[in-house]
Amino acid sequence: FNLEPAISPDGSRFMFLSTRVEGREPEADEMRAWVNQDIWAMDRKGDGWGEPYNLGPPVNTDDSEFFPSMTRDGTLYFTRAPADGGESYVYRSRLRDGVYLEPERLGPQVNSTSNQFNAFIAPDESYLILCTGDREDTLGGTDYYVAFRSPDDRWSEPINLGSVVNTEWAGEFSPYVSPDGRYLFFMSTR
């Protein structure tokens, strides 16, 4: 399956989560397809998109990588979780000379519990909206939080976005802010 599309702020790259196996859709009986989630990309070619390709290492590993989000300078934010389930954390990988560097797990301000995922990064990298639960200030279930990044690359403590978007005992997943910064699009199980 293919999920979680993200287009770079300049419109030149399209990324998504895929369970493709060696470039093809998996067969129904290939259990690996459900646990091997990788980030794939397509580059802009004229009026369309080029062929999909797996980002490969160091971004993709034997663990599951998903929910890509990109900054203007090409830095990639994503979630990584063990393929067999368990804890999930937000990572980032800087783009240098067209190559993604070794991903770094963001610090405890962003990864404040054992379960953060689906983080949207602002194009200028000034803030991050993420999904997390298991915090004392949660409204229940999984909530949206925002963390702000300072010019010296320090993150604020996550701030709950409140009851306008978060609901009691529901799950909130997959935030996205419109390119003009005016609208928050989000998913909720309410």
Side-chain angles (χ1 to χ4, degrees), residues 148-189:
F148 295 94
R149 182 177 164 268
S150 69
D152 64 348
D153 200 30
R154 294 177 195 239
W155 291 94
S156 71
E157 290 296 321
I159 301 166
N160 189 302
L161 290 185
S163 62
V164 172
V165 294
N166 293 319
T167 54
E168 188 175 338
W169 301 112
E172 276 71 43
F173 312 108
S174 305
Y176 176 78
V177 176
S178 61
D180 62 9
R182 295 180 61 198
Y183 301 99
L184 170 66
F185 297 90
F186 62 97
M187 193 284 290
S188 177
T189 60

Side-chain angles (χ1 to χ4, degrees), residues 48-67:
W49 298 101
E51 289 298 312
Y53 58 93
N54 188 307
L55 285 186
V59 171
N60 290 323
T61 65
D62 290 338
D63 288 335
S64 292
E65 288 81 22
F66 52 94
F67 206 84

Side-chain angles (χ1 to χ4, degrees), residues 9 20 60 131 139:
R20 295 165 187 246
N60 290 323
C131 306
L139 298 183

Side-chain angles (χ1 to χ4, degrees), residues 17 23 36 46 59 68 75 83 90 94 113 127 140 157:
L17 169 157
N36 186 21
V59 171
T75 298
V90 177
R94 299 278 186 203
T113 73
Y127 68 89
E157 290 296 321

